[in-house]
Amino acid sequence: MKRLVILGGGYGGIKVLSGLLEKNLSDDIEITLIDRNPFRSLKTEFYTIAAGTVADSEVRVDFPKDNRVNYIFKEVTKIDTKNNKIVFDDPEEYVPYDYLVIGLGCEDNFHGVNGAKEFTESVQTFAKARHTGVAVGNLNAYGKVTVVGAGLSGIEVASEIRESRPDLNIRLLDRGPTVLKAFDEKIQSHVEQWFIANDVDVIHHSNVEYVEKDGVCNNGLCYLNDVTIWTAGVRPNFLVRQLPFEKDRHEKIIINELYQVPEQTNVYVVGDCAASEHSPSGQLAGMQGEQLADILLAVLNDKRPKKPRSFKLRGTLGSLGKSDGFGNMMTLPMTGLLPRLAKSGVLWLNKRH
């Protein structure tokens, strides 16, 4: 029996699983998928839960029903790569494996800012996004919300909350001279103008020194605040950071061209936990998962896997509420309704495939 464990049912893990299930697998292959939730959650849409514009059921998708897969829905406490097993709360309870795929995604990086972990909300997990949505939804009229970080997540969170709660005072703290520093100037300008038109206060060159229960201190100035949402960077899941493998400066595991950990080639890594030349995204994890499915199919059938072809990402899409957006589509910067519709189309596909 060849035991394959897929750790995490996100964009990468589900592509590995679905890619394998599309094939005729040998009876001696046992597949187990482990996730904390009994459903897939579409992380790129968590900002809608945080803003209360979409019911959380809209960003949940059932896992494939297939007799060839054993599902375990529990929190993992340790990845024991020395003894090839996944450990849960009870050390006596574990799942052994012969081959392991790690697709656990990322969590907030607080960069050592005092109080950030204790006093900020998050959109990095399904449960945390729901908690954020409750905090924002329960605010009284004219409540104050600060979003720390003006990357893609911060932009979508701030704009969605503005559309959901026009009564709130919203502040966006941006470390750089402009929002979305990784995007084209056309997109940056469009987003900046959207925030001006919609009365969202963007503060550039921010440097958050510490966070308190009722405020954020930035460059020596403390703002009274009701809810603070942290979107200022991510790092790989803590279980991955604990592993004894070589990592890059972002704490991601260095892998070879077959997505294997060179020090232990029965372990494969995809998505936000794997070192890559590309920025982390659901799209990247999904493409990696598709390639890894083909690699594992060969390995599980005792064949030599082929080196996967290089791929190009199709671009990045972002939303500014329900009727405006931005994105790099086929390398072209676009703004307005078209990229927003394209983003909705991607969501539709993710929910049905």
Side-chain angles (χ1 to χ4, degrees):
M1 183 67 69
K2 299 172 183 176
R3 300 166 299 185
L4 168 66
V5 170
I6 302 173
L7 198 51
Y11 294 101
I14 196 64
K15 285 294 186 179
V16 173
L17 178 63
S18 59
L20 291 172
L21 296 182
E22 289 173 358
K23 308 297 182 181
N24 292 320
L25 299 175
S26 170
D27 291 337
D28 70 341
I29 297 174
E30 177 184 278
I31 302 176
T32 301
L33 187 143
I34 303 174
D35 197 279
R36 60 160 61 99
N37 295 317
F39 48 78
R40 288 175 53 211
S41 50
L42 304 176
K43 188 174 183 179
T44 58
E45 302 301 311
F46 282 0
Y47 69 93
T48 61
I49 304 177
T53 55
V54 165
D56 58 40
S57 60
E58 292 298 309
V59 297
R60 297 198 310 255
V61 183
D62 292 335
F63 282 113
K65 292 179 174 62
D66 195 298
N67 293 331
R68 295 171 293 176
V69 187
N70 175 39
Y71 291 104
I72 297 177
F73 303 122
K74 289 185 178 182
E75 287 280 357
V76 174
T77 58
K78 182 181 180 180
I79 305 171
D80 186 350
T81 54
K82 181 178 180 180
N83 297 298
N84 288 346
K85 62 183 182 180
I86 305 300
V87 183
F88 304 99
D89 286 331
D90 182 355
E92 298 300 318
E93 184 182 11
Y94 62 88
V95 174
Y97 64 81
D98 300 304
Y99 304 94
L100 174 65
V101 174
I102 299 175
L104 286 174
C106 58
E107 57 191 39
D108 289 301
N109 187 350
F110 297 107
H111 306 288
V113 175
N114 289 334
K117 183 177 181 180
E118 295 81 5
F119 300 121
T120 64
E121 300 291 342
S122 171
V123 292
Q124 285 304 318
T125 69
F126 185 81
K128 289 180 178 179
R130 291 187 68 193
H131 193 276
T132 302
V134 171
V136 172
N138 284 343
L139 287 177
N140 294 326
Y142 316 118
K144 299 178 178 65
V145 176
T146 294
V147 179
V148 181
L152 182 59
S153 293
I155 296 299
E156 292 190 314
V157 167
S159 59
E160 197 79 4
I161 292 176
R162 165 50 74 228
E163 190 164 278
S164 173
R165 292 288 304 271
D167 60 293
L168 297 179
N169 296 289
I170 303 174
R171 179 185 298 114
L172 181 63
L173 300 184
D174 177 20
R175 189 175 183 85
T178 180
V179 298
L180 295 172
K181 64 179 182 180
F183 284 73
D184 185 89
E185 289 183 4
K186 175 184 177 181
I187 292 175
Q188 294 173 354
S189 176
H190 181 79
V191 174
E192 294 270 10
Q193 291 302 313
W194 191 95
F195 282 132
I196 291 172
N198 288 275
D199 197 26
V200 174
D201 190 12
V202 181
I203 301 176
H204 295 297
H205 303 292
S206 296
N207 181 29
V208 175
E209 296 157 298
Y210 59 93
V211 181
E212 296 180 333
K213 182 180 180 180
D214 300 318
V216 178
C217 292
N218 172 55
N219 286 328
L221 181 64
C222 292
Y223 304 106
L224 289 177
N225 202 48
D226 296 306
V227 174
T228 304
I229 304 173
W230 192 270
T231 65
V234 294
R235 64 199 303 199
N237 184 283
F238 76 97
L239 293 169
V240 171
R241 302 200 308 271
Q242 293 174 352
L243 292 175
F245 301 139
E246 185 180 2
K247 303 178 182 70
D248 66 6
R249 63 188 182 91
H250 301 294
E251 303 179 278
K252 299 180 180 183
I253 295 176
I254 293 175
I255 55 176
N256 63 20
E257 58 190 14
L258 297 177
Y259 299 102
Q260 296 169 315
V261 178
E263 302 99 306
Q264 200 160 336
T265 55
N266 69 324
V267 178
Y268 301 79
V269 189
V270 294
D272 299 343
C273 299
S276 172
E277 61 179 319
H278 302 288
S279 299
S281 68
Q283 180 185 168
L284 174 63
M287 288 183 167
Q288 292 176 333
E290 289 176 355
Q291 292 188 338
L292 179 52
D294 291 334
I295 292 169
L296 285 170
L297 190 65
V299 171
L300 293 171
N301 286 307
D302 300 317
K303 297 179 180 179
R304 185 173 181 176
K306 296 180 181 179
K307 175 184 174 182
R309 295 180 179 179
S310 59
F311 56 76
K312 290 185 178 181
L313 297 177
R314 294 184 289 269
T316 304
L317 298 168
S319 71
L320 295 168
K322 293 293 184 288
S323 59
D324 203 339
F326 56 89
N328 294 315
M329 302 174 65
M330 305 299 290
T331 72
L332 295 175
M334 301 190 72
T335 59
L337 181 59
L338 180 59
R340 185 64 185 89
L341 291 174
K343 190 175 192 297
S344 296
V346 171
L347 173 62
W348 185 89
L349 289 173
N350 280 331
K351 292 175 72 173
R352 286 156 181 78
H353 298 279

